[in-house]
Amino acid sequence: MELFASHFGTYEIARGPDGPALAPFRHDPDPSPLGAGFLALADHPTRVMQPMARKGWLAGDGGARRGDDTFVPVTMDRACDLAAAELDRIRKAHGNRAIFGGSYGWGSAGRFHHPQSQLKRFLNLAGGFVSARNTYSYGTAKVLLPHLVGPEFSDPGTFNPSWDRIVETRPFILSFGGMRLANAQVEAGGTGAHRTRGWIDRFAEAGGEMLTLSPDGRDAPTGRHLPIAAGTDACAMLAMAHVLLSENRVDEAAVKRIATGFDEIRALILGLSDGQPKSSDWAAALTGIPASELTRIARKLSDGPALINLSWSLQRAVAGEQPYWVALVLAVLSGQIGRPGCGIACGLSAVSSVGNPLRRLRGPAFEQGRNPVAEYIPVARIAEMLERPGETIAYNGAPLTLPDIRLIWWAGGNPFHHHQDLNRLARAWRRPETVIVQESVWTATARHADLVFPSALPTERDDIAAASRDNWILRSTKVMEPPSGVETDHAVLSRIADRLGFADAFHEGLSEAEWLARLYEGYRAAYPELPGWPEFCATGYARLADPEPQDVTQPLEAFCADPAANPLPTPSGRIELLPDLLRAEDHRLGAPLSHVRASDAEEDTALPLRLLSPQPETRLHSQLDGAPLATEARRHGCEVARAHPDDIAKAGLTSGVPALLGNARGSVLVVIEADPALAPGHVVLPTGGWYRPATIDGERIDLGGNPNTLTRDTGSSELSQGASAGGARVRLNAFRGTIPAGNPGTGR
């Protein structure tokens, strides 16, 4: 069977007289329609068809016109000569610590044609590079959780009870931020079966109760929705903890058996340490949820069984550690932590695999080798790195020196989608001497480059797809040939490595087909039950069998049953409710926890709306933005933003008209639509619109409608330095001009 594997799942390839088509994989119970959109990119107007060099860079402008310049075509040989010479010049003049290998992104579900791995292997062989740590998606919680429960729970999903246990136990699920089923369409590395929707349906059919607290009613996949003001989730949780303590619903001895810091947390929640009890009345004024409702929910948690779910979006905010931190406190105080199917979950439905009871298929990736350069930055601090070379920032309890970057090399990603305050990034991006990008389409990142290499699309190469959190491995077959002159990232980097004298070390004399066979044998060595290579190629897929029910254990279950025999990898061996490091962190994080709305100190509170920027339903990030589903979702060629009808009327607008969302960081062009299911005071603009700044009547406007034009670029806190996009304040105004014509993007 010929299959195409993508981040959206697996598709069967049908070949006919009119060309190839992609059909849903027969073993997928809930296939996503999005992956079929790759076929529309083959000859899309934004396709990069040949190497291109920026005119100003060739003339030696030092980056002055980067992002606002024209490109000229160059031959592949000339482009490789230029890239090799520039890399060699930078490393000799400034050292490899002046090279930043970005390549953050979702360029391929394949394990071989994984742009990040290909580029990092190449740069490591060239002497190393400054790297980026953590992710935009989960970077705040990933740094926080090891301080609370140990490093083994840092990755998303490891904290969660599995859906089969949840359905069996039928706990009351209190979901902060919700479970957007559109997110469960995707998985880094792909999947053969989307199962999240089925599990949620089974939970509801079994009589399970779910309550979603979110500003947006669309975040609730089932059950009841209760609006809450953005950024106040920790306030609601503190109030619930206050109810448990004030009504003597906390088993103090049981808590102290599994956790440290109870006395100090108790004093903070009751207001004994700062004079402000975190009562339901206190939280009602902040959250918009009646005090009686907060009290009722707290009692329901205490009565159990109960599970607190947190969306990943909650921690992408200033002080984004707080909701995750307080949720753990609440799960401990309510006595639900460690009970089967109960306690706490991080990101159920955030991606396809989270919560699914699976044997994880952890196998080899394309080997990157060792990086001789030790310097790194948290990934969300790119603009700061470029603006402040040589200065320091705090990160995870220690100072971190920002490197002096002269060369950026990016492959398979689009920081001009992922990053915040894109106008600031565009200014900082002009500082390096050279930016090299490998890309299949003219993303905003490619347009902000100096030298652009064309890359084959995932549909234009053979590969093996597998996700370390999933149980499927797939043989992804080339659906079509790439355009003439367009090569894979591996082929391009092999060319450049040859000019630098390490081509043999880079490709090891293996063809791409031989690399695929080698990678698969690595999976077979780890999982002998997988079929042999010829059989796998013929079938197109394999999967690990689901674990037996008795083999599925609840995270923290063994620890809570016997903490002495099963200690956690924390200093105390127990859950740390108030670790020493967090006591000393900056005011936005924990001194005290009641400062949960400190983000307002950095925002213009006169602006009436809080911006929410969830993942889109019609693409992944900005990937497939030029495919039919994303194109058809626009109105008048613009991204669609949703607001409550009252907020639209206050702005003097009507639903369905072009409008501007703006703040001090910039303006974006959207079509505003009314949605009564959205809480007043909020506006929703999904991520992924291509950043396309233009000056109209003297105003700089992002025509692509990317919300990150408006989001703030400050670290969540000095602990994690994670992304802080959530809850930026904006205004809604009329757009008086004419919408310029332009092609939508197809990037990541």
Side-chain angles (χ1 to χ4, degrees):
M1 182 188 303
E2 285 192 318
L3 300 175
F4 167 62
S6 77
H7 294 304
F8 308 100
T10 304
Y11 303 85
E12 299 181 15
I13 303 172
R15 303 190 186 276
D18 297 326
L22 298 178
F25 185 38
R26 64 193 64 182
H27 299 292
D28 192 341
D30 186 26
S32 168
L34 297 185
F38 275 106
L39 296 180
L41 307 188
D43 57 355
H44 196 272
T46 60
R47 189 74 194 269
V48 180
M49 292 295 194
Q50 64 186 110
M52 303 288 281
R54 188 172 62 81
K55 289 180 67 175
W57 178 68
L58 291 174
D61 73 354
R65 295 199 61 204
R66 190 174 293 139
D68 191 26
D69 201 356
T70 56
F71 288 80
V72 296
V74 294
T75 65
M76 180 65 76
D77 283 341
R78 174 63 172 152
C80 291
D81 289 342
L82 289 168
E86 191 63 6
L87 177 62
D88 199 42
R89 181 186 71 82
I90 293 292
R91 65 181 180 175
K92 288 177 178 176
H94 306 286
N96 284 73
R97 291 172 176 81
I99 300 167
F100 183 65
S103 194
Y104 176 95
W106 292 68
S108 170
R111 296 301 85 201
F112 177 68
H113 292 295
H114 183 238
Q116 200 172 51
S117 298
Q118 292 282 343
L119 178 61
K120 289 181 178 180
R121 178 184 177 94
F122 170 84
L123 291 176
N124 284 338
L125 289 169
F129 64 100
V130 173
S131 60
R133 184 170 291 186
N134 302 327
T135 67
Y136 288 96
S137 297
Y138 199 73
T140 297
K142 187 177 179 67
V143 177
L144 169 72
L145 290 175
H147 293 286
L148 303 178
V149 289
E152 66 187 82
F153 297 106
S154 65
D155 288 331
T158 54
F159 213 73
N160 300 354
S162 56
W163 271 112
D164 56 340
R165 284 292 184 93
I166 295 171
V167 170
E168 178 184 0
T169 307
R170 294 193 307 279
F172 164 58
I173 298 180
L174 177 60
S175 184
F176 288 90
M179 303 181 196
R180 296 178 68 88
L181 284 172
N183 296 344
Q185 295 181 96
V186 304
E187 181 65 51
T191 184
H194 294 86
R195 303 169 67 180
T196 302
R197 187 190 303 271
W199 283 116
I200 292 176
D201 289 345
R202 287 175 63 181
F203 175 77
E205 291 164 1
E209 180 184 357
M210 184 183 298
L211 173 61
T212 297
L213 272 58
S214 167
D216 190 354
R218 298 191 186 188
D219 291 337
T222 189
R224 190 163 71 99
H225 169 252
L226 189 62
I228 184 173
T232 66
D233 304 88
C235 296
M237 295 181 215
L238 285 169
M240 294 173 194
H242 185 277
V243 171
L244 301 183
L245 289 167
S246 60
E247 295 185 356
N248 296 316
R249 288 174 169 264
V250 177
D251 185 336
E252 182 176 336
V255 169
K256 289 184 174 180
R257 179 171 169 267
I258 64 171
T260 65
F262 171 76
D263 291 334
E264 290 167 287
I265 287 290
R266 177 181 178 276
L268 190 149
I269 293 171
L270 295 179
L272 304 179
S273 57
D274 64 358
Q276 174 59 70
K278 313 309 180 294
S279 65
S280 295
D281 288 333
W282 165 81
L286 299 170
T287 63
I289 299 175
S292 59
E293 187 74 70
L294 292 168
T295 300
R296 185 192 70 81
I297 296 170
R299 292 169 179 166
K300 196 168 184 64
L301 287 176
S302 176
D303 292 341
L307 172 65
I308 301 168
N309 177 64
L310 307 164
S311 69
W312 290 358
S313 61
L314 298 182
Q315 46 90 63
R316 294 194 290 267
V318 169
E321 291 88 349
Q322 286 188 347
Y324 272 55
W325 185 4
V326 182
L328 180 63
V329 171
L330 183 58
V332 169
L333 297 186
S334 63
Q336 302 302 313
I337 198 78
R339 296 178 59 182
C342 300
I344 186 171
C346 302
L348 289 173
S349 88
V351 293
S352 175
S353 66
V354 175
N356 282 314
L358 303 170
R359 290 176 59 207
R360 310 299 178 186
L361 188 64
R362 292 183 169 91
F366 184 60
E367 299 158 6
Q368 298 177 12
R370 186 184 70 86
N371 187 353
V373 174
E375 282 83 352
Y376 67 90
I377 62 163
V379 69
R381 301 274 57 80
I382 293 175
E384 209 158 358
M385 171 187 71
L386 297 176
E387 292 172 342
R388 299 169 49 195
E391 298 184 31
T392 61
I393 60 173
Y395 172 67
N396 205 10
L400 188 68
T401 300
L402 299 171
D404 185 1
I405 298 300
R406 305 303 180 95
L407 168 64
I408 295 175
W409 199 316
W410 214 283
N414 187 6
F416 279 88
H417 155 70
H418 284 100
H419 205 69
Q420 282 70 64
D421 195 350
L422 294 180
N423 289 329
R424 175 192 179 191
L425 179 64
R427 294 189 295 269
W429 200 259
R430 291 182 174 181
R431 185 185 176 277
E433 297 170 24
T434 298
V435 177
I436 299 173
V437 169
Q438 295 174 246
E439 186 53 275
S440 55
V441 286
W442 282 102
T443 64
T445 302
R447 288 187 283 107
H448 283 78
D450 300 315
L451 187 60
V452 181
F453 287 92
S455 297
L457 289 164
T459 46
E460 297 167 349
R461 57 205 185 200
D462 293 321
D463 214 331
I464 292 173
S468 61
R469 297 193 299 261
D470 204 71
N471 63 337
W472 289 82
I473 185 167
L474 303 138
R475 178 74 164 93
S476 188
T477 301
K478 183 188 296 184
V479 182
M480 61 185 68
E481 292 295 328
S484 177
V486 175
E487 302 179 0
T488 65
D489 293 326
H490 179 77
V492 169
L493 291 171
S494 294
R495 287 176 177 268
I496 302 171
D498 185 56
R499 287 158 168 80
L500 294 168
F502 55 82
D504 289 343
F506 179 70
H507 56 60
E508 298 188 24
L510 300 177
S511 67
E512 294 187 6
E514 290 170 330
W515 269 110
L516 298 186
R518 175 168 154 177
L519 286 172
Y520 183 74
E521 289 306 320
Y523 279 95
R524 283 200 72 212
Y527 304 94
E529 65 265 44
L530 293 175
W533 176 246
E535 181 185 349
F536 173 69
C537 290
T539 305
Y541 66 91
R543 64 183 290 271
L544 300 181
D546 290 343
E548 295 297 325
Q550 64 270 17
D551 296 330
V552 178
T553 58
Q554 160 79 48
L556 299 179
E557 187 174 341
F559 160 73
C560 289
D562 191 344
N566 304 285
L568 296 177
T570 61
S572 66
R574 291 177 286 169
I575 297 171
E576 305 264 338
L577 297 181
L578 194 60
D580 289 340
L581 179 61
L582 302 193
R583 302 168 197 256
E585 278 304 324
D586 68 275
H587 70 281
R588 291 176 298 178
L589 180 54
L593 277 173
S594 58
H595 289 184
V596 292
R597 303 197 74 197
S599 59
D600 280 345
E602 302 173 24
E603 291 288 285
D604 183 353
T605 56
L607 298 179
L609 302 175
R610 282 194 174 272
L611 175 64
L612 307 177
S613 51
Q615 288 299 319
E617 297 181 2
T618 58
R619 57 187 173 234
L620 167 60
H621 303 307
S622 62
Q623 193 172 79
L624 297 183
D625 195 42
L629 286 177
T631 301
E632 292 164 4
R634 297 187 184 89
R635 301 290 181 267
H636 307 295
C638 299
E639 292 295 306
V640 174
R642 295 183 288 114
H644 191 275
D646 292 348
D647 290 319
I648 295 177
K650 288 177 183 177
L653 302 176
T654 58
S655 181
V657 302
L660 292 177
L661 290 176
N663 57 24
R665 290 180 281 271
S667 296
V668 298
L669 178 63
V670 299
V671 165
I672 192 70
E673 289 191 350
D675 184 356
L678 183 63
H682 301 82
V683 59
V684 175
L685 177 60
T687 63
W690 264 25
Y691 174 65
R692 289 189 293 131
T695 301
I696 301 176
D697 297 331
E699 183 177 4
R700 194 72 167 169
I701 298 173
D702 173 19
L703 303 181
N706 192 314
N708 278 328
T709 304
L710 308 174
T711 55
R712 63 198 149 208
D713 184 14
T714 59
S716 178
S717 77
E718 292 176 354
L719 178 75
S720 71
Q721 295 289 355
S724 57
R729 288 187 176 272
V730 298
R731 72 178 75 84
L732 176 63
N733 289 330
F735 175 66
R736 308 294 183 187
T738 301
I739 300 175
N743 290 319
T746 55
R748 297 171 179 83

